[in-house]
Short mmCIF file of all heavy atoms in Angstrom, two decimals:
data_model
loop_
_atom_site.label_atom_id
_atom_site.label_comp_id
_atom_site.label_asym_id
_atom_site.label_seq_id
_atom_site.Cartn_x
_atom_site.Cartn_y
_atom_site.Cartn_z
N VAL A 277 -36.47 -38.68 21.43
CA VAL A 277 -35.03 -38.51 21.64
C VAL A 277 -34.72 -37.06 21.97
O VAL A 277 -33.91 -36.76 22.86
CB VAL A 277 -34.24 -38.98 20.39
CG1 VAL A 277 -32.77 -38.60 20.52
CG2 VAL A 277 -34.39 -40.48 20.20
N GLU A 278 -35.39 -36.14 21.27
CA GLU A 278 -35.14 -34.71 21.50
C GLU A 278 -35.56 -34.30 22.90
O GLU A 278 -34.87 -33.51 23.57
CB GLU A 278 -35.89 -33.87 20.45
CG GLU A 278 -35.33 -34.00 19.04
CD GLU A 278 -33.85 -33.66 18.97
OE1 GLU A 278 -33.43 -32.69 19.62
OE2 GLU A 278 -33.11 -34.38 18.27
N GLU A 279 -36.70 -34.82 23.38
CA GLU A 279 -37.15 -34.50 24.74
C GLU A 279 -36.15 -35.01 25.78
O GLU A 279 -35.86 -34.32 26.77
CB GLU A 279 -38.52 -35.12 25.00
CG GLU A 279 -39.66 -34.42 24.28
CD GLU A 279 -40.97 -35.17 24.40
OE1 GLU A 279 -40.94 -36.38 24.69
OE2 GLU A 279 -42.02 -34.55 24.18
N LEU A 280 -35.62 -36.22 25.55
CA LEU A 280 -34.65 -36.79 26.46
C LEU A 280 -33.38 -35.94 26.52
O LEU A 280 -32.82 -35.69 27.59
CB LEU A 280 -34.31 -38.23 26.04
CG LEU A 280 -33.39 -39.02 26.96
CD1 LEU A 280 -34.00 -39.18 28.35
CD2 LEU A 280 -33.09 -40.39 26.35
N LYS A 281 -32.93 -35.48 25.36
CA LYS A 281 -31.73 -34.65 25.31
C LYS A 281 -31.97 -33.31 25.99
O LYS A 281 -31.11 -32.80 26.72
CB LYS A 281 -31.30 -34.43 23.86
CG LYS A 281 -30.65 -35.64 23.22
CD LYS A 281 -30.13 -35.29 21.82
CE LYS A 281 -29.37 -36.45 21.22
NZ LYS A 281 -28.83 -36.12 19.88
N GLN A 282 -33.14 -32.72 25.77
CA GLN A 282 -33.46 -31.43 26.37
C GLN A 282 -33.52 -31.52 27.89
O GLN A 282 -33.04 -30.63 28.60
CB GLN A 282 -34.79 -30.91 25.81
CG GLN A 282 -34.71 -30.43 24.38
CD GLN A 282 -36.06 -30.06 23.80
OE1 GLN A 282 -37.07 -30.03 24.51
NE2 GLN A 282 -36.11 -29.75 22.51
N LYS A 283 -34.11 -32.60 28.39
CA LYS A 283 -34.20 -32.80 29.84
C LYS A 283 -32.81 -32.83 30.48
O LYS A 283 -32.62 -32.43 31.62
CB LYS A 283 -34.92 -34.10 30.16
CG LYS A 283 -36.45 -34.05 30.07
CD LYS A 283 -37.04 -35.40 30.40
CE LYS A 283 -38.56 -35.38 30.41
NZ LYS A 283 -39.08 -34.61 31.58
N ASN A 284 -31.83 -33.34 29.73
CA ASN A 284 -30.49 -33.53 30.26
C ASN A 284 -29.49 -32.52 29.71
O ASN A 284 -28.29 -32.65 29.93
CB ASN A 284 -30.02 -34.95 29.96
CG ASN A 284 -30.82 -35.99 30.72
OD1 ASN A 284 -30.53 -36.28 31.87
ND2 ASN A 284 -31.86 -36.53 30.09
N ASN A 285 -30.00 -31.55 28.96
CA ASN A 285 -29.15 -30.49 28.40
C ASN A 285 -27.98 -31.06 27.60
O ASN A 285 -26.83 -30.65 27.73
CB ASN A 285 -28.63 -29.60 29.53
CG ASN A 285 -28.03 -28.29 29.02
OD1 ASN A 285 -28.44 -27.78 27.97
ND2 ASN A 285 -27.09 -27.73 29.75
N LEU A 286 -28.29 -32.07 26.77
CA LEU A 286 -27.26 -32.75 25.98
C LEU A 286 -27.42 -32.41 24.50
O LEU A 286 -28.53 -32.28 23.98
CB LEU A 286 -27.37 -34.27 26.16
CG LEU A 286 -27.09 -34.81 27.56
CD1 LEU A 286 -27.35 -36.30 27.61
CD2 LEU A 286 -25.66 -34.51 27.98
N THR A 287 -26.29 -32.30 23.82
CA THR A 287 -26.30 -32.07 22.37
C THR A 287 -25.60 -33.21 21.63
O THR A 287 -25.85 -33.42 20.45
CB THR A 287 -25.59 -30.75 22.02
OG1 THR A 287 -24.25 -30.78 22.53
CG2 THR A 287 -26.34 -29.57 22.61
N GLU A 288 -24.71 -33.94 22.33
CA GLU A 288 -24.00 -35.05 21.71
C GLU A 288 -24.91 -36.28 21.60
O GLU A 288 -25.94 -36.38 22.28
CB GLU A 288 -22.76 -35.41 22.52
CG GLU A 288 -21.73 -34.29 22.64
CD GLU A 288 -21.04 -33.97 21.33
OE1 GLU A 288 -21.02 -34.85 20.45
OE2 GLU A 288 -20.53 -32.86 21.19
N ASN A 289 -24.50 -37.24 20.76
CA ASN A 289 -25.29 -38.46 20.55
C ASN A 289 -24.67 -39.68 21.24
O ASN A 289 -25.07 -40.81 20.97
CB ASN A 289 -25.43 -38.75 19.06
CG ASN A 289 -26.29 -37.71 18.38
OD1 ASN A 289 -27.35 -37.35 18.87
ND2 ASN A 289 -25.82 -37.21 17.24
#
Side-chain angles (χ1 to χ4, degrees):
V277 171
E278 291 304 319
E279 287 172 340
L280 185 61
K281 285 185 175 182
Q282 288 174 7
K283 280 179 176 290
N284 293 275
N285 195 29
L286 296 175
T287 57
E288 299 291 337
N289 292 314

